[in-house]
Amino acid sequence: MRSRRRLITELLILLTASAMCLMLTSCKPYLPVNPKYSYSSFTLELGEPISPDIAEYVDLSEMSEEDKAFVLDNTELLLDGVDIREAGMAMPGDHKLTIKYCGHQYRQYSFTITDKVPPVFTRAENVGTFAGLPIEDEKINNMFAAEDNSGEVKVELQKPDLDFDKAGNYKITAVATDSSGNKATAEAYVKVQKPEYGALGTYVYVSISKQHLTYFVDGKVKMDCPVVTGNAGNHSTPKGTYRLIYKSRNQTLKGTEDNGDEYESFVSYWMAFIGSSYGLHDASWRSEFGGNIYQGAGSHGCVNMPPSSAAQLYEILEPGTPILIY
């Protein structure tokens, strides 16, 4: 009786095993695993490719072309349950790679993606300005740029000593952190200069004592010309460090004379540095510039330029350029 029961049990086991095998082998041919992937778990560094080709995991070398075509048509590769061709890049962490053959699970791999690669800075540029002329936060932030193999990176700046009112070289430290916590650092400087003639950079310098305008580009004289500034005493041109706010063509300037009379002056080139009240512009009504004209016959506060010089400067001067008047 026991022998009979044992025989029945063994037959049931064989039938069950055969049924399971049939589910996987009813799709002819049987799939031999590539020895390279005989293990069931592995580790990858972020960015290492996960092949979407079934031939990477299954040995097709001895199959006929017909069998190969059948296997390719009836096999799926799933990354965390999603078709590997649609899953996108796997991020750091634990994942599952499943091979399905004729709708049934043929093999499953567990793998971990690690990320030990820190971000890389692609930009760390120095910037410059003049004392009393702050740089906007966006420009400070744009001193640095970083990239990472994960596609995610956060850059934070450390600028504890930065003082736009005091000349000096101020170190800015940038720390880039990726989604795995890897960090990289870079340094660049904000150079705050004294607003003086001959400083480095690109700017306009107007000397009231010399009645002269000079336009510097990267520290070199691009153009210069004599000017007439505000009438000394009651309409003096305000000294200070400014930026070109905007420029426009063919404007009519309006104001009031000391005696109360209103005046209008048409200018072809208007370059404002304090609101819409003070600017650099051509003065076609003047035949002479420079010298001591401003002491008694100066402007109402603007910087008068010869028409040809105003036209030249207008074409090359960009909004935001420092304008130093001293």
Side-chain angles (χ1 to χ4, degrees):
M1 179 66 68
R2 289 182 178 178
S3 298
R4 185 177 180 182
R5 288 179 178 175
R6 181 181 297 174
L7 179 60
I8 292 173
T9 300
E10 291 176 349
L11 285 173
L12 287 173
I13 293 173
L14 288 171
L15 287 172
T16 301
S18 298
M20 293 178 66
C21 184
L22 182 62
M23 287 192 300
L24 294 176
T25 59
S26 58
C27 284
K28 184 182 180 182
Y30 172 73
L31 301 185
V33 68
N34 186 332
K36 179 181 176 182
Y37 290 92
S38 59
Y39 45 82
S40 60
S41 63
F42 52 91
T43 300
L44 295 176
E45 178 66 23
L46 181 63
E48 285 188 58
I50 303 173
S51 176
D53 185 3
I54 188 62
E56 175 73 13
Y57 311 95
V58 177
D59 186 1
L60 307 178
S61 61
E62 296 186 5
M63 291 186 186
S64 66
E65 294 301 319
E66 181 180 356
D67 286 347
K68 287 181 183 178
F70 182 87
V71 169
L72 295 176
D73 288 341
N74 290 276
T75 307
E76 296 178 88
L77 277 174
L78 305 177
L79 177 59
D80 295 330
V82 179
D83 188 314
I84 194 170
R85 293 167 295 184
E86 301 174 359
M89 185 175 74
M91 300 306 290
D94 297 326
H95 301 272
K96 297 287 186 182
L97 179 64
T98 304
I99 301 176
K100 281 192 172 182
Y101 186 36
C102 294
H104 301 287
Q105 182 173 307
Y106 163 72
R107 194 170 181 83
Q108 188 174 74
Y109 300 93
S110 299
F111 68 97
T112 301
I113 292 182
T114 60
D115 179 14
K116 299 178 182 178
V117 179
V120 175
F121 276 92
T122 56
R123 181 171 68 247
E125 298 177 347
N126 300 328
V127 298
T129 187
F130 294 94
L133 202 61
I135 299 176
E136 59 274 16
D137 289 341
E138 182 180 1
K139 187 173 181 180
I140 295 290
N141 293 334
N142 286 338
M143 291 170 63
F144 301 92
E147 60 184 26
D148 186 68
N149 55 358
S150 68
E152 300 179 13
V153 60
K154 181 180 180 181
V155 178
E156 296 180 315
L157 303 186
Q158 299 172 359
K159 42 187 177 180
D161 302 322
L162 183 57
D163 185 351
F164 289 115
D165 292 324
K166 184 179 179 181
N169 289 326
Y170 297 93
K171 182 171 70 174
I172 309 296
T173 301
V175 180
T177 307
D178 66 15
S179 56
S180 297
N182 299 307
K183 297 179 182 293
T185 61
E187 296 177 351
Y189 288 84
V190 173
K191 183 179 181 63
V192 180
Q193 299 184 86
K194 293 180 180 180
E196 57 189 5
Y197 183 92
L200 298 176
T202 297
Y203 59 96
V204 173
Y205 189 91
V206 176
S207 171
I208 292 180
S209 62
K210 295 182 179 180
Q211 290 292 284
H212 203 85
L213 177 150
T214 308
Y215 177 46
F216 291 88
V217 175
D218 295 331
K220 297 181 179 180
V221 176
K222 181 72 173 181
M223 66 153 287
D224 68 312
C225 66
V227 296
V228 175
T229 60
N231 198 44
N234 53 350
H235 291 291
S236 297
T237 299
K239 295 181 179 180
T241 305
Y242 311 100
R243 290 188 188 277
L244 177 66
I245 303 173
Y246 70 95
K247 60 182 183 178
S248 59
R249 291 292 312 276
N250 303 325
Q251 298 293 308
T252 298
L253 309 182
K254 298 179 180 181
T256 304
E257 300 284 4
D258 292 338
N259 60 10
D261 293 342
E262 295 184 351
Y263 72 86
E264 294 185 357
S265 299
F266 176 83
V267 299
S268 297
Y269 304 96
W270 170 249
M271 294 160 274
F273 58 83
I274 298 181
S276 58
S277 301
Y278 294 89
L280 316 172
H281 64 77
D282 55 300
S284 58
W285 55 89
R286 292 187 182 275
S287 58
E288 294 182 357
F289 295 84
N292 296 321
I293 299 173
Y294 76 108
Q295 295 177 348
S299 73
H300 290 86
C302 290
V303 178
N304 290 181
M305 301 176 64
S308 60
S309 298
Q312 182 184 0
L313 184 62
Y314 184 92
E315 291 301 320
I316 56 180
L317 192 61
E318 296 294 332
T321 302
I323 298 178
L324 315 181
I325 301 178
Y326 287 95

